[in-house]
Amino acid sequence: MKKRQLVLEDGTTFVGTAFGSREASVGEVVFNTGMTGYQEILSDPSYCGQIVTMTYPLIGNYGINRDDFETITPSIHGLIVKEVCDTPSNFRNEETLDSYLKANNIPGIAGIDTRKLTRIIRKHGTMKAVFTSIDDSIEGALATIARTPVITNQVEQVSTVKPYVVPGRGHRIVLVDFGMKHGILRELTKRNCHITVVPYHYSAESILRLKPDGVMLTNGPGDPKSVQEAIEMIKDIVKKVPIFGICLGHQLLALACGADTEKLTFGHRGSNHPVKDLIVNKTYMTSQNHGYAVTRESLQKTDLQLTQVALNDQTVEGIQHKKFPAFSVQYHPESSPGPEDTNQLFDQFLTTINMHQTTTKEETTCLSVQI
């Protein structure tokens, strides 16, 4: 098979076997520690613009199936593995990883030392890289990286263009799509919610016109501070309707309430991250995919309460508003495969909606009696 190079922006070069698309591609190199779930990773919009290194050595052994996609069109810029399996064995398998990557113009490289690459990222942080032909010069590859701008509009690339409805008989939820995983829709439809999915830049006025019982802020890629439209929208609705944020939605809620965010050295990406719930004093295993986090110290000047922390590095994993019915988590409670310890957060969201409706009704009744 044809050889391929992976060149990092610091000049470090790895030579391996090409699979997937043969096109050159530039992206930010990150690593994921999950043993399974490569299909979900490939189709997760939160990886928009990134080249993902899988730390588990064998990838592709159960193939690709029709059921485990998180979106229709993948946004990942490349895949790096130690060994790729060309003969998958699974009763749901429908095609190989290689054929899926070819069909979606995603390049891959196999046969490199992924442990060494991961150690570099852990030490120096995420960095840009490019896939090139074995015949291309390192100088040319570095020039390609240098003239390729850093993507800052990832959310715009992966968000829905127009609103659409997923009908249900239960609570009416407006889901703001910043790069939504289908797993979030699955959990809400499982609970019979009537869901209206809207673009990332939908205004507060337009959202409130839909008369939602609650608003879901989804996951998504990139720096939360680049989505200023959403921050302003959240500022306007947080006093008026219950909110549940996941991943990027969690960071946007924090920014809208006066907290700050920061970029992590190499981020959290995997399905085995322990998180402690400070309210109930329990620890959960979670699935995570984020390169930014809410700055813990910045919560002190806000009306946000810290509810959950990562046990690996004590970063913020959960917050809730002290005055309004709004809460969020940094990890993915809808994630599968992976732990489903925190799946009940969707039930908590619906309970919050019920409590808000009851309180609002009682306040309206009291006001009527006084009048």
Side-chain angles (χ1 to χ4, degrees):
M1 295 184 67
K2 192 172 182 179
K3 292 293 184 178
R4 163 176 283 161
Q5 292 183 130
L6 173 74
V7 182
L8 306 185
E9 63 179 300
D10 67 354
T12 304
T13 303
F14 295 87
V15 177
T17 302
F19 69 102
S21 169
R22 296 299 187 263
E23 296 182 6
S25 179
V26 178
E28 181 186 44
V29 180
V30 300
F31 64 88
N32 187 294
T33 59
M35 295 176 65
T36 60
Y38 55 81
Q39 182 171 334
E40 289 83 348
I41 291 168
L42 289 169
S43 57
D44 183 350
S46 293
Y47 283 109
C48 177
Q50 295 180 331
I51 298 172
V52 179
T53 304
M54 299 299 298
T55 61
Y56 189 70
L58 178 61
I59 301 297
N61 53 310
Y62 54 85
I64 300 290
N65 66 77
R66 69 174 190 176
D67 299 323
D68 292 342
F69 292 110
E70 291 291 354
T71 190
I72 295 174
T73 305
S75 304
I76 192 173
H77 278 203
L79 184 66
I80 304 169
V81 301
K82 172 63 177 175
E83 180 182 352
V84 61
C85 179
D86 293 325
T87 55
S89 176
N90 186 275
F91 71 99
R92 294 196 301 162
N93 171 52
E94 294 173 332
E95 66 175 315
T96 66
L97 176 58
D98 179 56
S99 65
Y100 174 76
L101 294 185
K102 282 186 171 71
N104 288 279
N105 294 318
I106 301 171
I109 187 171
I112 73 166
D113 190 341
T114 52
R115 290 189 301 175
K116 178 181 178 180
L117 176 56
T118 300
R119 287 169 67 95
I120 291 173
I121 298 171
R122 286 181 61 89
K123 181 177 180 180
H124 301 289
T126 56
M127 62 182 77
K128 290 197 295 182
V130 62
F131 289 109
T132 68
S133 167
I134 192 69
D135 300 320
D136 294 338
S137 68
I138 305 302
E139 293 74 16
L142 293 175
T144 300
I145 294 174
R147 65 172 174 262
T148 303
V150 176
I151 300 175
T152 58
N153 66 334
Q154 296 101 316
V155 171
E156 180 183 351
Q157 293 183 34
V158 298
S159 175
T160 184
V161 177
K162 295 182 178 180
Y164 62 91
V165 172
V166 181
R169 297 286 187 179
H171 288 296
R172 301 182 72 88
I173 306 298
V174 168
L175 187 152
V176 187
D177 178 14
F178 301 114
M180 171 195 64
K181 292 172 62 180
H182 287 173
I184 295 176
L185 275 182
R186 179 187 65 240
E187 293 302 328
L188 291 174
T189 55
K190 185 190 300 183
R191 292 161 174 81
N192 203 28
C193 293
H194 178 92
I195 308 159
T196 303
V197 182
V198 301
Y200 75 99
H201 52 61
Y202 223 55
S203 69
E205 180 183 2
S206 297
I207 288 175
L208 294 175
R209 278 186 175 277
L210 296 172
K211 307 297 182 183
D213 297 320
V215 173
M216 169 71 71
L217 308 174
T218 76
N219 65 290
D223 184 348
K225 292 178 181 177
S226 67
V227 199
Q228 288 296 318
E229 309 98 315
I231 296 172
E232 295 304 315
M233 175 272 291
I234 297 168
K235 287 180 180 179
D236 290 338
I237 70 170
V238 69
K239 302 177 183 179
K240 303 171 184 176
V241 62
I243 294 175
F244 177 25
I246 293 175
C247 199
L248 181 64
H250 157 81
Q251 298 162 9
L252 291 171
L253 175 63
L255 289 171
C257 294
D260 197 8
T261 57
E262 60 186 341
K263 185 171 184 178
L264 300 173
T265 303
F266 49 82
H268 298 170
R269 297 175 180 89
S271 54
N272 57 350
H273 289 258
V275 168
K276 184 174 183 179
D277 189 317
L278 303 176
I279 306 300
V280 298
N281 196 31
K282 286 186 177 180
T283 296
Y284 306 111
M285 295 303 294
T286 68
S287 179
Q288 303 197 10
N289 173 20
H290 60 98
Y292 291 80
V294 175
T295 307
R296 188 165 180 171
E297 295 74 19
S298 69
L299 296 175
Q300 297 175 4
K301 60 180 181 180
T302 71
D303 287 323
L304 297 173
Q305 176 186 1
L306 177 66
T307 58
Q308 300 183 29
V309 296
L311 291 182
N312 288 337
D313 59 8
Q314 297 299 304
T315 51
V316 176
E317 291 290 340
I319 55 175
Q320 67 182 20
H321 204 285
K322 297 177 183 177
K323 297 179 181 178
F324 307 123
F327 71 99
S328 61
V329 293
Q330 180 63 79
Y331 50 85
H332 291 266
E334 85 292 343
S335 190
S336 184
E340 296 184 346
D341 298 20
T342 56
N343 196 255
Q344 81 281 353
L345 287 174
F346 290 93
D347 297 318
Q348 180 180 328
F349 180 40
L350 300 186
T351 299
T352 300
I353 290 174
N354 291 334
M355 293 175 63
H356 176 70
Q357 291 176 337
T358 300
T359 302
T360 302
K361 184 177 180 180
E362 290 175 350
E363 291 175 351
T364 303
T365 301
C366 290
L367 182 62
S368 300
V369 171
Q370 291 174 4
I371 294 174

